[in-house]
Amino acid sequence: MADLAIDDFYAVIPAGGIGSRLWPLSRADAPKFLHDLTGSGQTLLRDTWDRLSPLSGEGRIAVVTGRAHRAAVERELPGVPDHNVFLESEPRDSSAAIGLAAAILVRREPDVIIGSFAADHVIRQTRQFEFAVRQAVAVAREGYICTIGIQPAEASVGFGYIKKADELIVDGAPEAYTVERFVEKPDLETAKQYFADRDYLWNAGMFITRADVLLAELAVNEPELHAGLLELAEAWDDRDRRGPAVDRIWPGLKKIAIDYSVAEPAAEKGRLAVIPGHFDWDDVGDFASLSKLNSGGGRNELAILGEDARVLSDASSGIVVSQTKRVISLIGVRDIVVVDTPDALLVTTTENAQRVKGVVDALKLTGRGDVL
Amino acid sequence: MADLAIDDFYAVIPAGGIGSRLWPLSRADAPKFLHDLTGSGQTLLRDTWDRLSPLSGEGRIAVVTGRAHRAAVERELPGVPDHNVFLESEPRDSSAAIGLAAAILVRREPDVIIGSFAADHVIRQTRQFEFAVRQAVAVAREGYICTIGIQPAEASVGFGYIKKADELIVDGAPEAYTVERFVEKPDLETAKQYFADRDYLWNAGMFITRADVLLAELAVNEPELHAGLLELAEAWDDRDRRGPAVDRIWPGLKKIAIDYSVAEPAAEKGRLAVIPGHFDWDDVGDFASLSKLNSGGGRNELAILGEDARVLSDASSGIVVSQTKRVISLIGVRDIVVVDTPDALLVTTTENAQRVKGVVDALKLTGRGDVL
């Protein structure tokens, strides 16, 4: 394993999702990736950047984000070159976002290998992460689409799973396997079986592949989407044509997750590989996850997030997120979730954390979108 | 029962307590009696005034309150004559407050009967209340100190009890009894026995008595306090002497509840009477009580207090008090108490409602008195 950046590798960070289950912390204008959710002192986006730059080099990280987030992204990532910020006019899901990056980058470097990593996940044990990516790049050079599946830390029902199949013999990738199939989020019984069976890995949405291989797969499975992306890429490096092309083509692109447009079809053909990742990973999908991430694992602890937090807790556990300077007093509330922002307050329990998205939908329906 | 005001009767409203168990709704500068806690559209103090004025007439209601609350009291009670607002320089408990009123009023009318009623209790069935007071005045005319004990609605551990003894034969008071003894807040088992035994009534802190009888009892049991009050009353109607007298005498007066200085000693001598009150009464002592009071009795209801409340509840019960315009979203929290004010937020459960006072103490100790 060299410590140098990988010559033919380009990192791609799709920074799109709002993180509705983290409302009212995450908002349309303050999405999850622009928050410090770990107490690291910087945003998840910046953490992601810092994790990837040793692998690709700073000049070889592309960010795909909404036009509305351009200023924030450039503020967080002063090292990102202007030509590596790919702006969407609206969210069109991961196939369009990653496919656009692939289509643009392949024109610059026909043999480029791209690795796509969400902007808002948390990873610890960075050296193990790097090791996994370097293996995945070696596998991708052989023409496979390679994902990194996380060795489960528990029987989680919150993630999809990847079932690995046979060992794949590739130089520089001692842990490579082919993928048998993808599995949607399971129920608890099934999750327990998956956890006992070491062949099931968490799908962390990381894909490493030659850009041309990804595009070829997309061309077969989603030809219209593929054609739109090529047309966009062709116009991209001409500043005068880029904006109008996005306005014209982007809103018509099919919204589909890359798992369905690329990864699953590739798995069926035996062209999807996986590297097991031996590091702590979390997509911080809801406040239960955020609570666990910030409480040092103690079940009776109260995690507190917020620089100016003034929390007084008596026999309480769970998580408080404070974005105001108000005194917050908790008495005898267990597994509580309190999110205190200037215009909205959420009170729930970690058990109900997944239901937060329903509130966001209800707020939209009842005309209170001002707090979304 | 006449519907006219009672000629020789003066109502006294001690408006002193902050209501610490209702923090952060109740504050030093916004005590419980200045809040609308029932959705009546006016403050508890005003409700009290409205309840008493048919009995005494508007010009014959005295309010004993802190200097800090003078403006608020006068705003709430535009009908109160200036000479009936008795200002304390600091809280000295109920013996000093009610004793001061007695000492001032007896100088104006030697035979006056005073009735003291807390500024921050909730009473429904006003006609039943009036009937009880009119009976109590009749008993007081005979030289008894008379209280009104509430016929318990449940086996409450939150109130003290009065055990009634023998029937007392007084014209105009068909339900009068002498009092055997006072009982402090009981445990649940004892409360259940009290509830089964119809001789135990809730102590609602209402005392109706000739002013001179009360002062005579005080003279025996608390002679220094009595002397201080007479000295204050003597200076009271001279505007130049009043303020300096309060500054000099008031802070040295003994802090003692009138239950101990007057009522219990009178009971021992057989001079304390009680009229059972057949009306709904609540001292709104904590958020559990406030929740019950505002939820129409339903155990799975969510009571919402606050004119501008924007509450979104999903499978939640308890009470929300909203003093801000923030959207408040509750998901799956049962028996919850959420009190949302501009500078402080409380989250607890109705079960823990009595522990709120502990938070107030903790805030004082930790130098966060700015939110008290």
Side-chain angles (χ1 to χ4, degrees):
Chain A
M1 293 305 106
D3 286 318
L4 297 171
I6 309 162
D7 280 346
D8 53 350
F9 180 64
Y10 229 100
V12 175
I13 306 177
I18 289 170
S20 294
R21 287 186 190 82
L22 293 180
W23 179 89
L25 178 62
S26 291
R27 307 286 185 104
D29 61 355
K32 190 175 140 196
F33 62 84
L34 291 177
H35 290 280
D36 169 14
L37 296 184
T38 63
S40 73
Q42 60 185 30
T43 61
L44 294 181
L45 174 64
R46 179 72 206 197
D47 287 340
T48 304
W49 171 273
D50 288 352
R51 198 155 53 229
L52 293 170
S53 48
L55 291 160
S56 63
E58 284 208 349
R60 294 170 65 85
I61 303 179
V63 181
V64 191
T65 194
R67 285 173 177 166
H69 303 311
R70 177 184 195 158
V73 164
E74 290 177 350
R75 191 176 59 238
E76 287 302 310
L77 310 177
V80 72
D82 185 53
H83 64 267
N84 280 349
V85 180
F86 305 153
L87 296 176
E88 310 168 324
S89 56
E90 58 178 82
R92 298 309 296 172
D93 216 325
S94 55
S95 298
I98 300 168
L100 175 66
I104 295 169
L105 294 173
V106 80
R107 290 176 64 91
R108 298 188 193 160
E109 293 175 37
D111 296 328
V112 71
I113 290 167
I114 62 168
S116 160
F117 305 91
D120 54 8
H121 293 178
V122 170
I123 287 172
R124 281 164 185 158
Q125 297 102 19
T126 304
R127 289 187 57 232
Q128 296 294 327
F129 169 73
E130 286 187 26
F131 180 45
V133 174
R134 285 174 193 275
Q135 291 188 71
V137 171
V139 172
R141 275 199 202 102
E142 302 298 315
Y144 288 91
I145 295 172
C146 190
T147 182
I148 296 174
I150 313 299
Q151 200 74 59
E154 61 184 338
S156 172
V157 298
F159 305 128
Y161 285 75
I162 296 167
K163 188 177 187 201
K164 69 185 193 194
D166 304 323
E167 268 192 89
L168 192 62
I169 309 301
V170 174
D171 269 357
E175 292 178 286
Y177 295 84
T178 55
V179 169
E180 184 180 312
R181 62 188 173 99
F182 276 56
V183 193
E184 300 284 333
K185 294 179 186 179
D187 60 27
L188 187 59
E189 265 321 295
T190 313
K192 284 180 180 168
Q193 291 168 25
Y194 290 173
F195 184 57
D197 178 345
R198 305 299 282 174
D199 287 346
Y200 286 87
L201 305 168
W202 286 339
N203 178 7
M206 301 174 186
F207 293 101
I208 297 95
T209 172
R210 286 177 59 109
D212 58 357
V213 168
L214 181 136
L215 290 167
E217 193 63 51
L218 210 53
V220 174
N221 305 314
E222 297 292 342
E224 283 183 42
L225 175 56
H226 177 259
L229 293 172
L230 289 203
E231 196 181 341
L232 270 170
E234 192 271 323
W236 202 265
D237 284 329
D238 182 339
R239 286 184 157 270
D240 292 337
R241 291 171 58 211
R242 183 196 302 170
V246 170
D247 289 336
R248 180 168 47 85
I249 299 165
W250 192 259
L253 296 183
K254 183 170 177 181
K255 275 185 150 176
I256 180 172
I258 198 153
D259 301 47
Y260 304 125
S261 68
V262 171
E264 290 188 3
E268 279 168 27
K269 297 171 205 152
R271 302 305 298 165
L272 188 72
V274 63
I275 306 291
H278 308 292
F279 48 84
D280 287 347
W281 166 88
D282 200 315
D283 70 350
V284 207
D286 61 26
F287 286 112
S289 161
L290 190 62
S291 172
K292 211 162 72 179
L293 202 63
N294 285 279
S295 65
R299 289 212 58 181
N300 283 321
E301 280 184 53
L302 181 70
I304 298 174
L305 238 71
E307 277 177 45
D308 298 313
R310 300 174 76 194
V311 177
L312 208 69
S313 165
D314 174 3
S316 298
S317 62
I319 184 165
V320 176
V321 182
S322 166
Q323 293 198 315
T324 72
K325 300 195 173 188
R326 306 196 309 164
V327 165
I328 300 175
S329 171
L330 307 181
I331 308 171
V333 279
R334 297 283 178 186
D335 301 321
I336 199 82
V337 173
V338 174
V339 185
D340 183 47
T341 77
D343 61 354
L345 168 68
L346 172 72
V347 179
T348 185
T349 62
T350 52
E351 195 190 355
N352 287 287
Q354 285 282 323
R355 292 166 68 184
V356 172
K357 200 178 174 309
V359 172
V360 170
D361 297 338
L363 286 167
K364 271 181 206 158
L365 284 174
T366 55
R368 284 176 276 196
D370 56 308
V371 296
L372 293 179
Chain B
M1 294 300 105
D3 286 318
L4 297 170
I6 309 162
D7 280 346
D8 52 351
F9 180 64
Y10 229 98
V12 175
I13 306 177
I18 289 170
S20 294
R21 288 186 189 82
L22 293 180
W23 180 89
L25 178 62
S26 292
R27 307 286 185 103
D29 62 355
K32 188 174 139 197
F33 61 82
L34 292 177
H35 290 279
D36 169 13
L37 298 184
T38 62
S40 73
Q42 58 185 31
T43 63
L44 293 182
L45 174 63
R46 179 72 206 196
D47 287 340
T48 305
W49 171 275
D50 288 352
R51 200 156 50 229
L52 292 170
S53 49
L55 290 160
S56 63
E58 285 207 349
R60 293 171 66 85
I61 303 179
V63 181
V64 190
T65 194
R67 286 174 176 167
H69 303 311
R70 179 186 192 155
V73 165
E74 290 177 351
R75 191 177 59 240
E76 287 302 311
L77 310 178
V80 71
D82 184 54
H83 65 267
N84 279 350
V85 180
F86 305 154
L87 296 175
E88 310 168 323
S89 55
E90 57 179 82
R92 299 309 296 169
D93 216 325
S94 55
S95 298
I98 299 168
L100 175 66
I104 293 170
L105 295 173
V106 80
R107 289 175 64 91
R108 298 188 192 160
E109 292 176 36
D111 296 327
V112 71
I113 290 166
I114 61 168
S116 161
F117 304 90
D120 54 9
H121 292 178
V122 170
I123 287 172
R124 282 166 183 157
Q125 294 103 20
T126 304
R127 289 188 58 232
Q128 297 294 327
F129 169 74
E130 285 188 27
F131 180 45
V133 174
R134 285 175 193 274
Q135 290 187 72
V137 170
V139 173
R141 272 197 206 105
E142 301 299 314
Y144 288 90
I145 295 173
C146 190
T147 183
I148 296 173
I150 313 298
Q151 201 73 59
E154 62 184 336
S156 173
V157 298
F159 306 126
Y161 285 73
I162 296 167
K163 188 177 187 201
K164 68 184 192 195
D166 305 322
E167 269 193 88
L168 192 63
I169 308 301
V170 173
D171 270 357
E175 292 177 284
Y177 296 84
T178 54
V179 168
E180 183 180 313
R181 63 188 172 98
F182 275 58
V183 193
E184 300 283 333
K185 293 178 185 179
D187 60 26
L188 187 59
E189 263 322 294
T190 313
K192 284 179 180 168
Q193 291 168 24
Y194 291 174
F195 184 58
D197 179 344
R198 305 298 283 174
D199 286 346
Y200 286 86
L201 305 168
W202 287 339
N203 178 5
M206 301 174 186
F207 293 101
I208 297 93
T209 171
R210 284 176 61 109
D212 58 357
V213 168
L214 181 136
L215 290 167
E217 194 63 50
L218 210 52
V220 174
N221 305 314
E222 297 292 341
E224 282 183 43
L225 176 57
H226 177 257
L229 293 172
L230 289 203
E231 199 182 338
L232 269 170
E234 192 272 324
W236 201 265
D237 284 329
D238 181 340
R239 284 184 161 270
D240 293 337
R241 291 170 59 211
R242 182 195 302 170
V246 170
D247 289 336
R248 181 168 46 85
I249 299 166
W250 192 258
L253 296 183
K254 183 171 177 180
K255 275 184 150 177
I256 179 171
I258 199 152
D259 300 46
Y260 304 126
S261 69
V262 171
E264 290 188 4
E268 280 168 27
K269 297 170 206 155
R271 302 305 299 166
L272 188 70
V274 63
I275 305 291
H278 308 291
F279 48 84
D280 287 347
W281 166 88
D282 201 314
D283 71 349
V284 208
D286 62 26
F287 286 112
S289 161
L290 190 61
S291 172
K292 210 162 72 179
L293 203 63
N294 285 278
S295 64
R299 289 213 60 182
N300 283 321
E301 278 184 54
L302 181 71
I304 297 174
L305 239 71
E307 276 178 47
D308 299 312
R310 300 174 76 195
V311 177
L312 208 68
S313 165
D314 175 4
S316 299
S317 62
I319 183 165
V320 175
V321 182
S322 165
Q323 293 198 314
T324 73
K325 298 195 175 190
R326 305 196 307 165
V327 164
I328 300 175
S329 171
L330 307 182
I331 309 172
V333 279
R334 295 282 174 187
D335 300 321
I336 199 81
V337 173
V338 174
V339 185
D340 183 47
T341 77
D343 61 354
L345 169 68
L346 171 71
V347 180
T348 185
T349 62
T350 52
E351 196 189 355
N352 287 286
Q354 285 283 321
R355 292 166 69 184
V356 172
K357 200 178 174 309
V359 171
V360 170
D361 297 338
L363 286 167
K364 272 181 203 157
L365 285 172
T366 56
R368 283 177 276 195
D370 57 306
V371 295
L372 292 179

